[in-house]
Amino acid sequence: MTENASQQPPAPTTELPTQYAPADVEGPLYERWVERGYFEADAKSDKPPYTVVIPPPNVTGSLHLGHAFEHTLIDALTRRKRMQGHETLWQPGMDHAGIATQNVVERELAKEGKSRHDLGREAFVERVWQWKAESGGQISGQMRRLGDGVAWSRERFTMDEGLSQAVQTIFKRLYDDELIYRAERIINWCPRCLTAISDIEVEYQDDDGELVSMRYGDGDDSIVVATTRAETMLGDTAVAVHPDDERYRHLVGTLVKLPLTDRSIPVVADEHVDPEFGTGAVKVTPAHDPNDFEIGQRHGLPSLTIMDEHAVITAHGPFQGLDRLEARSAIVAALRAEGRIVAEKRPYVHSVGHCSRCKTTIEPRLSMQWWVKVGPLAKAAGDAVRDGRVTIHPQEMEKRYFDWVDNLHDWCISRQLWWGHRIPVWYGPDGEVVCVGPDEQPPSGEGWRQDTDVLDTWFSSGLWPFSTLGWPERTESLAKFYPNSVLVTGYDILFFWVARMMMFGLYAMDGTPPFHTIALHGMVRDQFGKKMSKSFGNAVNPLDWMDKYGSDALRFTLARGANPGVDVPIGEDWVQGSRNFANKLWNATRFALMNGATVEGPLPEPSAMSSTDRWILSRLNSVVAEVDAYYDDYQFAKLSDTLFHFAWDEVFDWYVELSKTVFQAGGEPAKVSQRVLGEVLDVTLKLLHPVVPFVTETLWTTLTGGESIVIADWPADGGFRDAAAEREISSLQSVITEVRRFRADQGLQPGQRVPARLTLDGTSLAPHETAIRQLLRLQPEGDSFTATATLPVAGAEVALDLSGTIDVAAERKRLAKDLAAAEKEKAQATAKLGNEAFLAKAPDQVVDKIRTRLAKAEEDITRIQSQLEKLPPA
């Protein structure tokens, strides 16, 4: 419970303020929802379950636009399912974020002039827990600002007691099943974080480097190799060539002198070597390159480690003690002095791996580490998608998933950190190795020690869908809410997290996958499609936009951009537009309340309704069906856009406007429309609620007097359709739109009244004459009426008398000038597009631009000619 949770928010009123102020509404509403337990989930309930886990944000993090985007989508899904009668669990929690959190606390210690080694392991870990209690988890408060409907009483942390038990349990089981093992292999090592990191925590980018070709050996027995990491030559134990390469066949099996050392190394033949790349010969450094390590294994080569954990040269000689980059320059200079540099290329742009946490260049390093044997686990994860137990949405993302799980290397799970789940393995004085389960006592006595490493953060977060429900205990929550209904996450962590959860879920839960559906979304980018980054100057704090425009405005903007698996551009003006939509919703509901809109009693029979009433109800039912279909297909952008245009265009701009004349006239038709308008708003607000929860709650409770829209029933398609009414109102819209366009073309002011004769006999528009005249500002024709412009549209005819409203001669002169300019533009564009020499040389984008100019000119000519034809004679 937050600090202001005890302050009872004001009860809903029957009236609405003249303006919507999100800041006054959102906080109190959210606290009311939490206090009343709307977001909690009951494992004993007989309702069908619907479960989603929050991708656990790092405890070091704060809410960024990516979080806001993802949380908006999940919240929309769970709010709808709750309204549909499901026992809905949105599971919250945070990840302990091993490397990131340890780095944060170490930086705090550095300000005190201390390191973690000054404190010792236990005191340092205690310091991290203290930091978490005081500073970590600010994202929880920000989630409340956004409106996340999570079950706060179930909040979990990947280092809490229950999850620690789950981690130890699955480690023990995997170890006993020989799916976890310890081995010396090449790993990705971060010299800054001083730990191994997994392949998926390495970010590759193109860096400027150097490619140096150097000669090993002398005379006819010499061989040239090229490298971007000259410093590693100190650890070379062979040169490799392809077995079919005739150039080097005579050297295979011989020894060549390794420069700058007293060693000679063999020339070996290995099919891994590409004879077409470079010189066709490669240096082999088994302790500092993963491919070289494999070559070394095949040929029984020794592995010489020549750098320490800080990437400082340890090999004996003049380069000992130099940083790797210092050593690189010094070694190239020494080789150049000996005349062994054959070629140098600078800059040489090549892909270089960097630590995803601190951006330091990764150093491949031979190291004793713990590994998960992923072969059988990855096969099960692939099979679960192939046989349909798990669906990936959108389907085109399946290929990326299969490419990953079908080619997984064994996973290095040990990290040389102090913060995290410590590996539950003890080593004895005589070489004993004992893996200890959660209910077992670790061995004790002189000489016994626990492994100092901790587990990769993704190891514990991979258990998230079931560890948060009480596993390994067979709890009621686990029985009720596992497997999850859907996982909503970014395609960028398909490999990091999704594959891990699939492997562990299938293994721990007897072949039951952790979720039925994986719904992948894209990344949030700026309005120009560029990645958001502080270094680019385009990063946005979502709290700033929520403060300025309201949380609903941000949520609606994000949802409108959410096409499955596609990146989402967003700009502040779009959020402002969504704020305008919330205001429009507010003002329309105020109008409805002031004009007696009601949800009391059943809807009138269709026979008692006007065609306008039947039209909007027909459209309403169609929209309900469309929105349901889009939700089931995770088409958030389409469902949001459908609701936007239905609410703004059809309800507010047409139905409300057409109803004004009915309300003014009063009587039974007004009562019918009051009930219809109440129904339309009731359903529309419910449909909008999952995406824009705050404003819809305020409006719905005021309109209906209900307890909360959060627990209201989700609308159902009632099946009512009236095609005739839809055609009739479509014709009415055509008349009004066409006359409005003509008025605008003639420069008439929106409120300027014009005499008009309406010929509606024989059409379905006759009952709408009053509405047409009122909406178009058309006054009766009068005795002196002269039809100076006649507009035939939708089978009707609207004749206007413009003699007293515009200067026809001046208008004709203006339009003639515009027509001449458009015809000149058309002629120029046509000439260029007819010039074959120009088309052959011009870039495609230039040609496309001219085609666009031509199309615009032709459109302008047609429009201006139509305006001239409708003008009376001068």
Side-chain angles (χ1 to χ4, degrees), residues 731-732 734-735 759-765 791-798:
S731 297
L732 174 61
S734 296
V735 170
T759 305
L760 307 175
D761 295 343
T763 73
S764 60
L765 298 174
L791 305 177
V793 58
E797 187 176 273
V798 179

Side-chain angles (χ1 to χ4, degrees), residues 12-29:
T13 62
T14 56
E15 295 183 355
L16 292 170
T18 55
Q19 291 184 326
Y20 176 47
D24 297 337
V25 169
E26 293 175 351
L29 275 187

Side-chain angles (χ1 to χ4, degrees), residues 151-330:
W152 286 112
S153 70
R154 292 173 173 265
E155 186 175 11
R156 304 302 299 269
F157 180 54
T158 52
M159 286 281 286
D160 68 29
E161 184 177 349
L163 270 65
S164 294
Q165 182 182 27
V167 167
Q168 198 171 350
T169 299
I170 202 162
F171 187 100
K172 171 71 171 173
R173 291 187 187 179
L174 289 164
Y175 181 87
D176 291 345
D177 288 344
E178 299 183 349
L179 292 173
I180 281 183
Y181 63 94
R182 192 168 184 245
E184 189 176 44
R185 291 188 176 180
I186 291 284
I187 48 90
N188 304 298
W189 181 263
C190 176
R192 160 62 184 80
C193 297
L194 298 180
T195 183
I197 63 174
S198 64
D199 291 344
I200 53 179
E201 293 171 297
V202 178
E203 294 178 348
Y204 288 90
Q205 66 184 45
D206 288 339
D207 287 354
D208 286 344
E210 60 181 354
L211 181 66
V212 179
S213 298
M214 45 197 181
R215 184 180 303 279
Y216 289 7
D218 298 297
D220 293 339
D221 293 336
S222 67
I223 193 165
V224 176
V225 298
T227 182
T228 58
R229 301 166 66 218
E231 69 280 7
T232 63
M233 60 89 61
L234 299 175
D236 286 359
T237 56
V239 174
V241 298
H242 194 276
D244 297 333
D245 195 331
E246 294 289 344
R247 295 172 294 176
Y248 303 117
R249 183 166 290 178
H250 68 289
L251 291 177
V252 174
T254 67
L255 298 175
V256 295
K257 180 72 168 27
L258 181 65
L260 308 182
T261 72
D262 295 327
R263 295 189 289 117
S264 293
I265 57 177
V267 179
V268 300
D270 194 282
E271 292 188 351
H272 169 76
V273 179
D274 180 2
E276 302 298 322
F277 180 77
T279 64
V282 297
K283 57 191 289 297
V284 182
T285 319
H288 293 277
D289 183 275
N291 293 321
D292 292 2
F293 178 78
E294 297 297 332
I295 294 175
Q297 293 290 296
R298 288 193 289 271
H299 296 277
L301 300 175
S303 297
L304 303 181
T305 299
I306 56 133
M307 290 183 218
D308 67 10
E309 60 185 6
H310 297 280
V312 171
I313 300 297
T314 57
H316 182 70
F319 312 107
Q320 188 174 13
L322 295 180
D323 173 79
R324 55 182 167 170
L325 298 182
E326 297 171 334
R328 182 175 301 170
S329 299

